[in-house]
Amino acid sequence: MTSIYVDEAAGSDLAGAGSQTTPYQTLAHALFTHGQAADVLVRKDPSAEYEQPTQSALKKAKKGADGLEKKRRKAEELAEAATEEREKRERLLEESKKVQLIEDDTLPAAIKAKILNLEPYRGKRVRIFGWVHRLRSQKDIIFLVLRDGTGYLQTILSGVPAQTYAALTLTLESTVELVGTLQPTPEGKTAPGGHELVVDFWRTIGAAPGGDDAFTNRLNEKSDPSILADLRHLVLRGENASSVLRLRSATLSAFRATYAEQHLLEVTPPCLVQTQVEGGATLFKLNYYGQPAFLTQSSQLYLETCLPSLGDVFCVQESFRAENSHTRRHLSEYTHLEAELAFITFDDLMNHIEAIICEVVDKLWKNESTAALIQQLNPSFAPPARPFMRLTYVDAIAWLNEHGIEHEAEDAQGNVITDAEGKPKMVPHVVGDDIAEAAERKMTDAIGTPIFLHSFPAGLKAFYMKKVPGNGGGDQPAAIALTESCDLLMPGVGEIVGGSMRISDIDELLEGYKREGIDPAPYYWFTDQRKYGTCEHGGYGLGIERFLAWLAKRYTIRECTLYPRWPGRATP
Ligand code: 4AD
């Protein structure tokens, strides 16, 4: 009998052949492969001699070989079962090609309907078109959840409708036409809308791929954020993403309805502009027939020109910010809701912002379907208590210092000062400092309610802001002269509204241009507002995505717009 060789150090069970030159690594594998009676010689490593194994080593190895044999048999059984299953499926598929599903024209005519409007059709035959949202087969029944953009519908295919080739090869995200009778959900079961469709006829309209290219292989919960961004067009089909967009639509409608009630008129200012509002650093510049132009940062200046003509106005317009901010609350393009009101005081302005926000939240919360969306996305949501807390900028600086919230020190050029290990040097806040996003967020989250942070120093704010009369205004240096300005901060997001009273005096306005190094020439139309019947007025801008991130508790405002744009991302 030829001997089988095992080298416990240099052998290999996988690549070895049991010969002296290519030994196995384990005695158990040698016995499993060549039978328990094989003549096996073992050595510890290539420097030792091959020897007969000891009795105890043989006994242990036999047990190991039995285990390996069991594993082999199990694998064989599984492979056989898989082959059987595959063959069975192939037979079934072949058989299914013969099954013909024809719409029975003796049944009552089906009414074409959308999922949202199905309730009146209970007990009737309906025809519905949509996408296969979920799919599950159980014995000979197919449970299919259909999505048509107005809702979800539980449907059941059994008998012939579940036996056709199309039924057996149906995939998620395919489009289908379903015809059947709408039944109330059986007692003790739940389904969207409280009913389900028992299908008697159906067909595939556009089959989505299966296999490697199947929807769930391109996208799932574990997908990387950059893949989710590239596949935003498919992400939108998900329940959460579509609910956010649905809530966004309802929010815009609620704002419009609330403004109509308060007699603010909607206007549509241009996106292509030749003036800045919020500082040159964040302007997207473009060549406009050979002239410099920008994408608008804010429609505020245009709204101000509407006051003498249309009274109080608002707009819903895209604003563009070319800041290189990769934070979860900055977009390069966002939907900016802005309003402007004439003959008001600073107090009126904050009262108005608070009233509008609370009225919008009330409308959404009172409406059954929008309340359901909010609860789905943000189960712990409760409308905010009124009045909102008001905190001056100077008091906020004191609050931050009392709570040990520091900020990164910067040199005169605005570079962060670091220590020997490269860690930023942290310093307490002083009046005149911009309250950075991190500090603002810590304070807002610690306080936990909406906060009107107001009366910021002029040096931190735009050229158009009115100074606080007689209090820090007047002759004070711009850096610390306070303005009638306010930011509304919300827990979880931070600033969602920025607003102010505007300079009403023409000389003060010209001074503002100068301070900010702005050439007044292109602003002639804005300056004219102060010349032809000036008035005390103020307004604000609200970032719709930030409002939604607060309302629907989204981690980032990137989830709150259809196709978000941020530095480097303008696709899809
Ligand atoms: O504070 P901001 O820059 O104010 C203005 O533009 C004023 N001219 C508005 C006005 O008074 N009519 O912006 C107002 C709001 C912010 O509070 C924030 O919600 C949002 O616009 N916002 C942004 N949202 C997303 N991404 C960005 N990069 C944003 N920048 C501002």
Side-chain angles (χ1 to χ4, degrees), residues 304-336:
E304 289 188 49
T305 67
C306 294
L307 294 176
S309 150
L310 303 169
D312 300 345
V313 283
F314 78 97
C315 70
V316 181
Q317 174 66 287
E318 296 295 278
S319 274
F320 302 86
R321 303 284 167 109
E323 54 203 321
N324 200 18
S325 292
H326 290 259
T327 80
R328 53 191 166 116
R329 67 174 204 193
H330 282 92
L331 292 170
S332 306
E333 173 179 353
Y334 69 96
T335 303
H336 204 171

Coordinates of all heavy atoms in Angstrom, one line a residue, residues 304-336:
E304 N -38.2 94.6 -1.9 CA -38.3 95.9 -1.3 C -38.9 96.9 -2.4 O -39.6 97.8 -2.0 CB -36.9 96.4 -0.9 CG -36.5 95.7 0.4 CD -35.2 96.3 1.0 OE1 -35.1 97.5 1.2 OE2 -34.3 95.5 1.3
T305 N -38.5 96.7 -3.7 CA -39.0 97.6 -4.7 C -40.5 97.3 -5.0 O -41.2 98.2 -5.6 CB -38.3 97.4 -6.0 OG1 -38.6 96.1 -6.6 CG2 -36.8 97.6 -5.9
C306 N -41.1 96.2 -4.5 CA -42.5 95.9 -4.7 C -43.4 96.6 -3.7 O -44.6 96.8 -3.9 CB -42.8 94.4 -4.6 SG -41.9 93.5 -6.0
L307 N -42.8 97.0 -2.5 CA -43.7 97.5 -1.4 C -44.5 98.7 -1.9 O -45.7 98.7 -1.6 CB -42.8 97.9 -0.2 CG -42.1 96.7 0.5 CD1 -41.2 97.2 1.6 CD2 -43.2 95.7 1.0
P308 N -43.9 99.7 -2.6 CA -44.7 100.9 -2.9 C -45.8 100.6 -4.0 O -46.8 101.3 -4.2 CB -43.7 101.9 -3.6 CG -42.4 101.4 -3.1 CD -42.5 99.9 -3.0
S309 N -45.6 99.5 -4.7 CA -46.6 99.1 -5.7 C -47.6 98.1 -5.3 O -48.8 98.2 -5.6 CB -45.7 98.6 -6.9 OG -46.4 97.7 -7.7
L310 N -47.1 97.1 -4.6 CA -48.0 95.9 -4.3 C -48.3 95.7 -2.8 O -49.0 94.8 -2.4 CB -47.4 94.6 -4.9 CG -47.1 94.6 -6.4 CD1 -46.2 93.5 -6.8 CD2 -48.4 94.6 -7.2
G311 N -47.6 96.5 -2.0 CA -47.8 96.3 -0.5 C -46.9 95.2 -0.1 O -45.9 94.9 -0.8
D312 N -47.3 94.5 1.0 CA -46.4 93.5 1.5 C -46.4 92.3 0.5 O -47.4 91.9 0.0 CB -47.0 93.0 2.9 CG -47.0 94.1 3.9 OD1 -46.3 95.1 3.6 OD2 -47.7 94.0 4.9
V313 N -45.2 91.8 0.3 CA -45.0 90.7 -0.7 C -44.2 89.6 -0.2 O -43.5 89.7 0.8 CB -44.3 91.3 -2.0 CG1 -45.2 92.1 -2.8 CG2 -43.1 92.1 -1.6
F314 N -44.3 88.5 -0.9 CA -43.3 87.3 -0.6 C -43.0 86.7 -2.0 O -43.6 86.9 -3.0 CB -44.0 86.3 0.3 CG -45.0 85.4 -0.3 CD1 -44.6 84.1 -0.7 CD2 -46.3 85.8 -0.5 CE1 -45.6 83.3 -1.3 CE2 -47.3 85.0 -1.0 CZ -46.9 83.7 -1.5
C315 N -42.0 85.8 -1.9 CA -41.6 85.0 -3.1 C -41.1 83.7 -2.7 O -40.6 83.5 -1.5 CB -40.6 85.8 -4.0 SG -39.0 85.9 -3.3
V316 N -41.1 82.7 -3.5 CA -40.5 81.4 -3.3 C -39.6 81.3 -4.5 O -40.0 81.1 -5.7 CB -41.6 80.3 -3.3 CG1 -40.9 79.0 -3.1 CG2 -42.7 80.6 -2.3
Q317 N -38.3 81.4 -4.3 CA -37.4 81.5 -5.4 C -36.1 80.7 -5.0 O -35.7 80.7 -3.9 CB -37.0 83.0 -5.7 CG -36.0 83.2 -6.7 CD -36.4 82.8 -8.1 OE1 -36.5 81.6 -8.4 NE2 -36.8 83.7 -9.0
E318 N -35.5 80.1 -6.0 CA -34.2 79.5 -5.8 C -33.1 80.5 -5.5 O -33.1 81.6 -6.2 CB -33.7 78.7 -7.0 CG -34.7 77.5 -7.3 CD -34.7 76.4 -6.3 OE1 -33.8 75.6 -6.2 OE2 -35.7 76.5 -5.5
S319 N -32.3 80.3 -4.4 CA -31.2 81.2 -4.2 C -29.9 80.4 -4.3 O -30.0 79.1 -4.1 CB -31.2 81.8 -2.8 OG -32.0 83.0 -2.7
F320 N -28.8 81.0 -4.7 CA -27.6 80.3 -5.0 C -26.5 80.8 -4.1 O -26.3 82.1 -4.0 CB -27.2 80.5 -6.5 CG -28.3 80.0 -7.4 CD1 -29.4 80.8 -7.7 CD2 -28.3 78.7 -7.8 CE1 -30.5 80.3 -8.5 CE2 -29.4 78.2 -8.6 CZ -30.4 79.0 -9.0
R321 N -25.7 80.0 -3.5 CA -24.6 80.4 -2.7 C -23.3 79.6 -3.0 O -23.3 78.4 -2.9 CB -24.9 80.1 -1.2 CG -26.2 80.8 -0.7 CD -25.9 82.3 -0.4 NE -27.2 83.0 -0.3 CZ -27.6 83.5 0.9 NH1 -26.9 83.4 2.0 NH2 -28.8 84.1 1.0
A322 N -22.3 80.3 -3.5 CA -21.1 79.7 -4.0 C -20.1 79.5 -2.8 O -18.9 79.6 -3.0 CB -20.5 80.5 -5.1
E323 N -20.6 79.1 -1.6 CA -19.7 78.9 -0.5 C -19.2 77.5 -0.5 O -20.0 76.6 -0.8 CB -20.3 79.3 0.8 CG -21.7 78.7 1.1 CD -22.5 79.4 2.1 OE1 -21.9 80.0 3.1 OE2 -23.7 79.5 2.0
N324 N -18.0 77.3 -0.1 CA -17.4 75.9 -0.2 C -17.8 75.2 1.2 O -16.9 74.7 1.8 CB -15.9 76.0 -0.4 CG -15.4 74.7 -0.9 OD1 -16.2 73.9 -1.4 ND2 -14.1 74.5 -0.8
S325 N -19.0 75.2 1.5 CA -19.5 74.6 2.8 C -20.0 73.2 2.5 O -20.9 73.0 1.8 CB -20.6 75.4 3.4 OG -20.1 76.6 3.8
H326 N -19.4 72.2 3.2 CA -19.8 70.8 3.0 C -20.6 70.4 4.3 O -20.7 69.3 4.6 CB -18.6 69.9 2.9 CG -17.9 70.1 1.6 ND1 -18.1 69.2 0.5 CD2 -17.1 71.0 1.1 CE1 -17.4 69.6 -0.5 NE2 -16.8 70.7 -0.2
T327 N -21.2 71.4 5.0 CA -22.0 71.0 6.2 C -23.3 70.4 5.8 O -23.7 70.5 4.7 CB -22.2 72.3 7.1 OG1 -23.3 73.0 6.6 CG2 -21.0 73.2 7.2
R328 N -24.0 69.9 6.9 CA -25.3 69.3 6.6 C -26.4 70.3 6.4 O -27.5 69.9 6.3 CB -25.6 68.2 7.6 CG -25.5 68.6 9.0 CD -25.6 67.3 9.9 NE -25.2 67.5 11.2 CZ -26.1 67.4 12.2 NH1 -27.3 67.1 12.0 NH2 -25.7 67.5 13.5
R329 N -26.1 71.6 6.6 CA -27.1 72.5 6.4 C -26.8 73.6 5.3 O -27.4 74.6 5.3 CB -27.5 73.2 7.7 CG -26.4 74.1 8.3 CD -26.9 74.8 9.5 NE -26.2 76.0 9.7 CZ -26.2 76.7 10.9 NH1 -27.0 76.3 11.8 NH2 -25.5 77.8 11.0
H330 N -25.9 73.3 4.4 CA -25.6 74.2 3.3 C -25.8 73.5 2.0 O -25.3 72.4 1.8 CB -24.1 74.7 3.4 CG -24.0 75.8 4.5 ND1 -23.6 75.5 5.8 CD2 -24.1 77.1 4.4 CE1 -23.5 76.6 6.4 NE2 -23.9 77.6 5.6
L331 N -26.5 74.2 1.1 CA -26.6 73.8 -0.3 C -26.1 74.9 -1.1 O -26.0 76.1 -0.7 CB -28.1 73.5 -0.6 CG -28.8 72.4 0.1 CD1 -30.3 72.4 -0.1 CD2 -28.2 71.0 -0.4
S332 N -25.7 74.6 -2.4 CA -25.3 75.6 -3.3 C -26.5 76.3 -3.9 O -26.4 77.4 -4.4 CB -24.4 75.0 -4.4 OG -23.3 74.3 -3.8
E333 N -27.6 75.5 -4.0 CA -28.9 76.1 -4.5 C -29.9 75.6 -3.5 O -30.0 74.4 -3.2 CB -29.2 75.5 -5.9 CG -30.6 75.9 -6.4 CD -30.9 75.3 -7.7 OE1 -30.1 74.8 -8.4 OE2 -32.1 75.5 -8.1
Y334 N -30.7 76.6 -3.0 CA -31.8 76.2 -2.1 C -33.1 77.0 -2.4 O -33.0 78.0 -3.1 CB -31.4 76.4 -0.6 CG -31.2 77.8 -0.2 CD1 -32.2 78.5 0.5 CD2 -30.0 78.4 -0.4 CE1 -32.0 79.8 0.9 CE2 -29.8 79.8 0.0 CZ -30.8 80.4 0.7 OH -30.6 81.7 1.1
T335 N -34.2 76.5 -1.9 CA -35.4 77.2 -2.1 C -35.6 78.3 -1.0 O -35.7 77.9 0.2 CB -36.6 76.3 -2.2 OG1 -36.3 75.3 -3.2 CG2 -37.9 77.0 -2.5
H336 N -35.7 79.5 -1.4 CA -35.7 80.6 -0.4 C -37.0 81.3 -0.4 O -37.5 81.7 -1.4 CB -34.6 81.6 -1.0 CG -34.0 82.5 0.1 ND1 -33.0 83.3 -0.1 CD2 -34.4 82.7 1.4 CE1 -32.7 84.0 1.0 NE2 -33.5 83.6 1.9

